[in-house]
Amino acid sequence: MDAVLDDLEAESAVVREMVAGLDDAGVGAATPAPGWSIRDQLTHLAYFDEAATLAVVDPESFRRRAAGHLELGPGFPDRIAEDHATLGADAVRDWFAGARTALVRTFRGVEPKARLPWYGPEMSALSSVTARLMETWAHGQDVADALGVFREPTDRLRHVAHLGVQTFGFTFRNNGREVPTAPVRVELVAPSGATWTWGPDDATDRVTGSALGFCLVATQRRHVDDTDVAVTGPVAAEWVAIAQTFANTPGPGRAPGAVAAAFPAPTRTLTGGPA
């Protein structure tokens, strides 16, 4: 738990660095997520950090609040963004920083296997923290794209990639499809140069490439054609086309070339800190 929380804090620091100098107009800049500004990306992270903390300290209150949200339908994250659309840059930064600090402090003392309520099935405390890291990296990618920033990848991507593989069955069920029985081999090159693998090494269906490319696809931040990810076999191809690490209804993903066409190429590189 402490190791994942340390990685979450490091990923949070990258996001804070990206938005540190933005004024009120800056946080209102559009991101590749349709209709979402940088402000919306940050308030989304802050809001659901507070929700995850509430799930630990007062599960019943979380369940009541979550039930109200779910009644609004799958678009309730958009409603949350709209509710905070007038926040200024300083208020947004303070909320994100405060909510993240409280979450990390709370989860430091939680048993990793403890079951916690969420929007859908319960999950372990460790899975909850991993999901917060994935969300931070994914929404951070939208912020980076909006600002023309390239975040130097680190081996913290292992958490995102693992979640991408672990959500294989969820992705098919979420799209109303039968979960394939054929295994898929995933082989990724980590930022450090190591090789990360999942699945049997003799599987016919395969997904290979960089960890960065796979994570961009699995979080629906890039179309597979815009990455170095290679796919072999019908099951692997179907999965990669709909892969989704986040809860909620199936996301539309990004069309080929969509981000490059609408946003400038990165002009600034941020180091990711320790791997």
mmCIF file of all heavy atoms in Angstrom, residues 170-199:
data_model
loop_
_atom_site.group_PDB
_atom_site.id
_atom_site.type_symbol
_atom_site.label_atom_id
_atom_site.label_comp_id
_atom_site.label_asym_id
_atom_site.label_seq_id
_atom_site.Cartn_x
_atom_site.Cartn_y
_atom_site.Cartn_z
ATOM 1 N N PHE A 170 -14.030 -7.037 -17.712
ATOM 2 C CA PHE A 170 -14.938 -5.910 -17.503
ATOM 3 C C PHE A 170 -15.228 -5.192 -18.817
ATOM 4 O O PHE A 170 -16.373 -4.822 -19.099
ATOM 5 C CB PHE A 170 -14.333 -4.928 -16.498
ATOM 6 C CG PHE A 170 -14.911 -3.542 -16.576
ATOM 7 C CD1 PHE A 170 -16.143 -3.257 -16.022
ATOM 8 C CD2 PHE A 170 -14.218 -2.515 -17.229
ATOM 9 C CE1 PHE A 170 -16.692 -1.976 -16.108
ATOM 10 C CE2 PHE A 170 -14.749 -1.242 -17.324
ATOM 11 C CZ PHE A 170 -15.990 -0.967 -16.762
ATOM 12 N N THR A 171 -14.178 -4.979 -19.621
ATOM 13 C CA THR A 171 -14.350 -4.255 -20.871
ATOM 14 C C THR A 171 -15.370 -4.930 -21.784
ATOM 15 O O THR A 171 -16.246 -4.268 -22.357
ATOM 16 C CB THR A 171 -12.994 -4.132 -21.604
ATOM 17 O OG1 THR A 171 -12.134 -3.277 -20.849
ATOM 18 C CG2 THR A 171 -13.176 -3.563 -22.995
ATOM 19 N N PHE A 172 -15.275 -6.246 -21.919
ATOM 20 C CA PHE A 172 -16.224 -6.952 -22.775
ATOM 21 C C PHE A 172 -17.638 -6.911 -22.187
ATOM 22 O O PHE A 172 -18.616 -6.635 -22.903
ATOM 23 C CB PHE A 172 -15.772 -8.400 -22.988
ATOM 24 C CG PHE A 172 -14.682 -8.537 -24.020
ATOM 25 C CD1 PHE A 172 -13.350 -8.482 -23.660
ATOM 26 C CD2 PHE A 172 -14.995 -8.697 -25.368
ATOM 27 C CE1 PHE A 172 -12.341 -8.596 -24.611
ATOM 28 C CE2 PHE A 172 -14.002 -8.808 -26.323
ATOM 29 C CZ PHE A 172 -12.666 -8.753 -25.951
ATOM 30 N N ARG A 173 -17.755 -7.184 -20.892
ATOM 31 C CA ARG A 173 -19.088 -7.164 -20.266
ATOM 32 C C ARG A 173 -19.695 -5.772 -20.339
ATOM 33 O O ARG A 173 -20.906 -5.616 -20.566
ATOM 34 C CB ARG A 173 -18.980 -7.626 -18.815
ATOM 35 C CG ARG A 173 -18.681 -9.119 -18.660
ATOM 36 C CD ARG A 173 -18.829 -9.562 -17.213
ATOM 37 N NE ARG A 173 -17.832 -8.925 -16.362
ATOM 38 C CZ ARG A 173 -16.623 -9.430 -16.118
ATOM 39 N NH1 ARG A 173 -16.256 -10.585 -16.660
ATOM 40 N NH2 ARG A 173 -15.775 -8.798 -15.329
ATOM 41 N N ASN A 174 -18.869 -4.751 -20.156
ATOM 42 C CA ASN A 174 -19.348 -3.377 -20.168
ATOM 43 C C ASN A 174 -19.891 -2.983 -21.537
ATOM 44 O O ASN A 174 -20.748 -2.103 -21.651
ATOM 45 C CB ASN A 174 -18.196 -2.439 -19.777
ATOM 46 C CG ASN A 174 -18.663 -1.062 -19.353
ATOM 47 O OD1 ASN A 174 -19.673 -0.922 -18.675
ATOM 48 N ND2 ASN A 174 -17.929 -0.034 -19.737
ATOM 49 N N ASN A 175 -19.398 -3.648 -22.566
ATOM 50 C CA ASN A 175 -19.878 -3.393 -23.923
ATOM 51 C C ASN A 175 -20.938 -4.391 -24.366
ATOM 52 O O ASN A 175 -21.285 -4.446 -25.552
ATOM 53 C CB ASN A 175 -18.704 -3.427 -24.904
ATOM 54 C CG ASN A 175 -17.877 -2.159 -24.867
ATOM 55 O OD1 ASN A 175 -18.131 -1.219 -25.610
ATOM 56 N ND2 ASN A 175 -16.879 -2.118 -23.980
ATOM 57 N N GLY A 176 -21.456 -5.177 -23.418
ATOM 58 C CA GLY A 176 -22.506 -6.136 -23.740
ATOM 59 C C GLY A 176 -22.031 -7.297 -24.573
ATOM 60 O O GLY A 176 -22.822 -7.895 -25.319
ATOM 61 N N ARG A 177 -20.756 -7.649 -24.466
ATOM 62 C CA ARG A 177 -20.193 -8.732 -25.253
ATOM 63 C C ARG A 177 -19.767 -9.884 -24.353
ATOM 64 O O ARG A 177 -19.432 -9.682 -23.181
ATOM 65 C CB ARG A 177 -18.986 -8.246 -26.058
ATOM 66 C CG ARG A 177 -19.266 -7.023 -26.917
ATOM 67 C CD ARG A 177 -18.058 -6.645 -27.757
ATOM 68 N NE ARG A 177 -18.224 -5.338 -28.390
ATOM 69 C CZ ARG A 177 -17.382 -4.820 -29.263
ATOM 70 N NH1 ARG A 177 -16.287 -5.500 -29.616
ATOM 71 N NH2 ARG A 177 -17.605 -3.623 -29.790
ATOM 72 N N GLU A 178 -19.781 -11.069 -24.913
ATOM 73 C CA GLU A 178 -19.335 -12.240 -24.174
ATOM 74 C C GLU A 178 -17.821 -12.175 -23.992
ATOM 75 O O GLU A 178 -17.085 -11.813 -24.911
ATOM 76 C CB GLU A 178 -19.710 -13.511 -24.943
ATOM 77 C CG GLU A 178 -19.449 -14.791 -24.183
ATOM 78 C CD GLU A 178 -20.014 -16.000 -24.905
ATOM 79 O OE1 GLU A 178 -20.950 -15.809 -25.707
ATOM 80 O OE2 GLU A 178 -19.497 -17.109 -24.675
ATOM 81 N N VAL A 179 -17.368 -12.515 -22.786
ATOM 82 C CA VAL A 179 -15.932 -12.474 -22.509
ATOM 83 C C VAL A 179 -15.257 -13.644 -23.209
ATOM 84 O O VAL A 179 -15.625 -14.798 -22.992
ATOM 85 C CB VAL A 179 -15.657 -12.536 -20.997
ATOM 86 C CG1 VAL A 179 -14.142 -12.524 -20.731
ATOM 87 C CG2 VAL A 179 -16.342 -11.380 -20.277
ATOM 88 N N PRO A 180 -14.278 -13.390 -24.065
ATOM 89 C CA PRO A 180 -13.614 -14.483 -24.790
ATOM 90 C C PRO A 180 -12.885 -15.423 -23.838
ATOM 91 O O PRO A 180 -12.404 -15.013 -22.776
ATOM 92 C CB PRO A 180 -12.610 -13.747 -25.691
ATOM 93 C CG PRO A 180 -13.121 -12.353 -25.795
ATOM 94 C CD PRO A 180 -13.766 -12.071 -24.481
ATOM 95 N N THR A 181 -12.814 -16.669 -24.226
ATOM 96 C CA THR A 181 -12.069 -17.641 -23.422
ATOM 97 C C THR A 181 -10.629 -17.767 -23.889
ATOM 98 O O THR A 181 -9.775 -18.254 -23.146
ATOM 99 C CB THR A 181 -12.745 -19.023 -23.508
ATOM 100 O OG1 THR A 181 -12.831 -19.416 -24.885
ATOM 101 C CG2 THR A 181 -14.142 -18.971 -22.910
ATOM 102 N N ALA A 182 -10.340 -17.331 -25.103
ATOM 103 C CA ALA A 182 -8.974 -17.404 -25.611
ATOM 104 C C ALA A 182 -8.086 -16.421 -24.859
ATOM 105 O O ALA A 182 -8.449 -15.255 -24.686
ATOM 106 C CB ALA A 182 -8.943 -17.084 -27.102
ATOM 107 N N PRO A 183 -6.921 -16.851 -24.383
ATOM 108 C CA PRO A 183 -6.031 -15.955 -23.646
ATOM 109 C C PRO A 183 -5.327 -14.975 -24.569
ATOM 110 O O PRO A 183 -5.197 -15.204 -25.771
ATOM 111 C CB PRO A 183 -5.027 -16.925 -23.011
ATOM 112 C CG PRO A 183 -4.959 -18.066 -23.980
ATOM 113 C CD PRO A 183 -6.358 -18.211 -24.528
ATOM 114 N N VAL A 184 -4.900 -13.880 -23.978
ATOM 115 C CA VAL A 184 -4.133 -12.876 -24.717
ATOM 116 C C VAL A 184 -2.809 -12.662 -23.996
ATOM 117 O O VAL A 184 -2.778 -12.470 -22.775
ATOM 118 C CB VAL A 184 -4.894 -11.542 -24.816
ATOM 119 C CG1 VAL A 184 -4.036 -10.485 -25.523
ATOM 120 C CG2 VAL A 184 -6.207 -11.730 -25.563
ATOM 121 N N ARG A 185 -1.737 -12.683 -24.735
ATOM 122 C CA ARG A 185 -0.411 -12.397 -24.200
ATOM 123 C C ARG A 185 -0.118 -10.914 -24.383
ATOM 124 O O ARG A 185 -0.290 -10.373 -25.486
ATOM 125 C CB ARG A 185 0.641 -13.224 -24.950
ATOM 126 C CG ARG A 185 2.090 -12.883 -24.614
ATOM 127 C CD ARG A 185 2.493 -13.428 -23.268
ATOM 128 N NE ARG A 185 3.955 -13.367 -23.095
ATOM 129 C CZ ARG A 185 4.576 -13.822 -22.022
ATOM 130 N NH1 ARG A 185 3.877 -14.362 -21.025
ATOM 131 N NH2 ARG A 185 5.895 -13.758 -21.933
ATOM 132 N N VAL A 186 0.279 -10.259 -23.323
ATOM 133 C CA VAL A 186 0.643 -8.847 -23.381
ATOM 134 C C VAL A 186 2.119 -8.723 -23.020
ATOM 135 O O VAL A 186 2.545 -9.188 -21.956
ATOM 136 C CB VAL A 186 -0.212 -8.000 -22.418
ATOM 137 C CG1 VAL A 186 0.222 -6.539 -22.462
ATOM 138 C CG2 VAL A 186 -1.692 -8.125 -22.760
ATOM 139 N N GLU A 187 2.897 -8.128 -23.910
ATOM 140 C CA GLU A 187 4.322 -7.903 -23.680
ATOM 141 C C GLU A 187 4.625 -6.427 -23.925
ATOM 142 O O GLU A 187 4.445 -5.923 -25.028
ATOM 143 C CB GLU A 187 5.170 -8.760 -24.614
ATOM 144 C CG GLU A 187 5.025 -10.258 -24.390
ATOM 145 C CD GLU A 187 5.927 -11.077 -25.304
ATOM 146 O OE1 GLU A 187 6.642 -10.450 -26.135
ATOM 147 O OE2 GLU A 187 5.931 -12.309 -25.203
ATOM 148 N N LEU A 188 5.064 -5.745 -22.874
ATOM 149 C CA LEU A 188 5.307 -4.307 -22.957
ATOM 150 C C LEU A 188 6.735 -3.962 -22.553
ATOM 151 O O LEU A 188 7.290 -4.575 -21.631
ATOM 152 C CB LEU A 188 4.330 -3.552 -22.048
ATOM 153 C CG LEU A 188 2.838 -3.824 -22.257
ATOM 154 C CD1 LEU A 188 2.019 -3.063 -21.216
ATOM 155 C CD2 LEU A 188 2.412 -3.439 -23.669
ATOM 156 N N VAL A 189 7.290 -2.980 -23.213
ATOM 157 C CA VAL A 189 8.611 -2.469 -22.854
ATOM 158 C C VAL A 189 8.418 -1.307 -21.890
ATOM 159 O O VAL A 189 7.791 -0.291 -22.228
ATOM 160 C CB VAL A 189 9.391 -2.009 -24.088
ATOM 161 C CG1 VAL A 189 10.753 -1.455 -23.676
ATOM 162 C CG2 VAL A 189 9.557 -3.161 -25.069
ATOM 163 N N ALA A 190 8.938 -1.458 -20.680
ATOM 164 C CA ALA A 190 8.809 -0.432 -19.654
ATOM 165 C C ALA A 190 9.717 0.755 -19.963
ATOM 166 O O ALA A 190 10.691 0.632 -20.708
ATOM 167 C CB ALA A 190 9.185 -1.017 -18.299
ATOM 168 N N PRO A 191 9.425 1.919 -19.403
ATOM 169 C CA PRO A 191 10.312 3.067 -19.588
ATOM 170 C C PRO A 191 11.753 2.769 -19.176
ATOM 171 O O PRO A 191 12.691 3.317 -19.753
ATOM 172 C CB PRO A 191 9.677 4.139 -18.697
ATOM 173 C CG PRO A 191 8.213 3.806 -18.734
ATOM 174 C CD PRO A 191 8.177 2.303 -18.701
ATOM 175 N N SER A 192 11.928 1.901 -18.183
ATOM 176 C CA SER A 192 13.274 1.542 -17.722
ATOM 177 C C SER A 192 13.981 0.577 -18.655
ATOM 178 O O SER A 192 15.168 0.301 -18.486
ATOM 179 C CB SER A 192 13.187 0.912 -16.329
ATOM 180 O OG SER A 192 12.450 -0.302 -16.394
ATOM 181 N N GLY A 193 13.255 0.023 -19.630
ATOM 182 C CA GLY A 193 13.819 -0.954 -20.543
ATOM 183 C C GLY A 193 13.472 -2.383 -20.191
ATOM 184 O O GLY A 193 13.736 -3.294 -20.974
ATOM 185 N N ALA A 194 12.871 -2.586 -19.027
ATOM 186 C CA ALA A 194 12.443 -3.927 -18.631
ATOM 187 C C ALA A 194 11.265 -4.373 -19.488
ATOM 188 O O ALA A 194 10.611 -3.559 -20.152
ATOM 189 C CB ALA A 194 12.043 -3.935 -17.158
ATOM 190 N N THR A 195 11.008 -5.681 -19.477
ATOM 191 C CA THR A 195 9.863 -6.233 -20.200
ATOM 192 C C THR A 195 8.811 -6.678 -19.195
ATOM 193 O O THR A 195 9.111 -7.438 -18.269
ATOM 194 C CB THR A 195 10.272 -7.429 -21.074
ATOM 195 O OG1 THR A 195 11.241 -7.000 -22.037
ATOM 196 C CG2 THR A 195 9.064 -7.998 -21.807
ATOM 197 N N TRP A 196 7.600 -6.197 -19.371
ATOM 198 C CA TRP A 196 6.481 -6.590 -18.515
ATOM 199 C C TRP A 196 5.575 -7.514 -19.314
ATOM 200 O O TRP A 196 5.240 -7.222 -20.474
ATOM 201 C CB TRP A 196 5.672 -5.368 -18.072
ATOM 202 C CG TRP A 196 6.447 -4.387 -17.242
ATOM 203 C CD1 TRP A 196 7.555 -4.617 -16.500
ATOM 204 C CD2 TRP A 196 6.131 -2.989 -17.076
ATOM 205 N NE1 TRP A 196 7.967 -3.475 -15.871
ATOM 206 C CE2 TRP A 196 7.107 -2.455 -16.199
ATOM 207 C CE3 TRP A 196 5.136 -2.158 -17.571
ATOM 208 C CZ2 TRP A 196 7.101 -1.113 -15.806
ATOM 209 C CZ3 TRP A 196 5.129 -0.826 -17.190
ATOM 210 C CH2 TRP A 196 6.094 -0.305 -16.317
ATOM 211 N N THR A 197 5.165 -8.619 -18.708
ATOM 212 C CA THR A 197 4.339 -9.591 -19.426
ATOM 213 C C THR A 197 3.142 -10.030 -18.607
ATOM 214 O O THR A 197 3.195 -10.076 -17.378
ATOM 215 C CB THR A 197 5.153 -10.833 -19.819
ATOM 216 O OG1 THR A 197 5.587 -11.515 -18.619
ATOM 217 C CG2 THR A 197 6.361 -10.463 -20.659
ATOM 218 N N TRP A 198 2.083 -10.349 -19.322
ATOM 219 C CA TRP A 198 0.879 -10.941 -18.745
ATOM 220 C C TRP A 198 0.377 -11.995 -19.727
ATOM 221 O O TRP A 198 0.512 -11.838 -20.937
ATOM 222 C CB TRP A 198 -0.219 -9.897 -18.551
ATOM 223 C CG TRP A 198 0.065 -8.827 -17.556
ATOM 224 C CD1 TRP A 198 -0.332 -8.778 -16.253
ATOM 225 C CD2 TRP A 198 0.772 -7.592 -17.797
ATOM 226 N NE1 TRP A 198 0.094 -7.616 -15.653
ATOM 227 C CE2 TRP A 198 0.777 -6.877 -16.574
ATOM 228 C CE3 TRP A 198 1.413 -7.042 -18.904
ATOM 229 C CZ2 TRP A 198 1.384 -5.623 -16.441
ATOM 230 C CZ3 TRP A 198 2.032 -5.807 -18.786
ATOM 231 C CH2 TRP A 198 2.021 -5.110 -17.565
ATOM 232 N N GLY A 199 -0.231 -13.047 -19.201
ATOM 233 C CA GLY A 199 -0.805 -14.070 -20.065
ATOM 234 C C GLY A 199 0.206 -15.121 -20.477
ATOM 235 O O GLY A 199 1.427 -14.920 -20.370
#
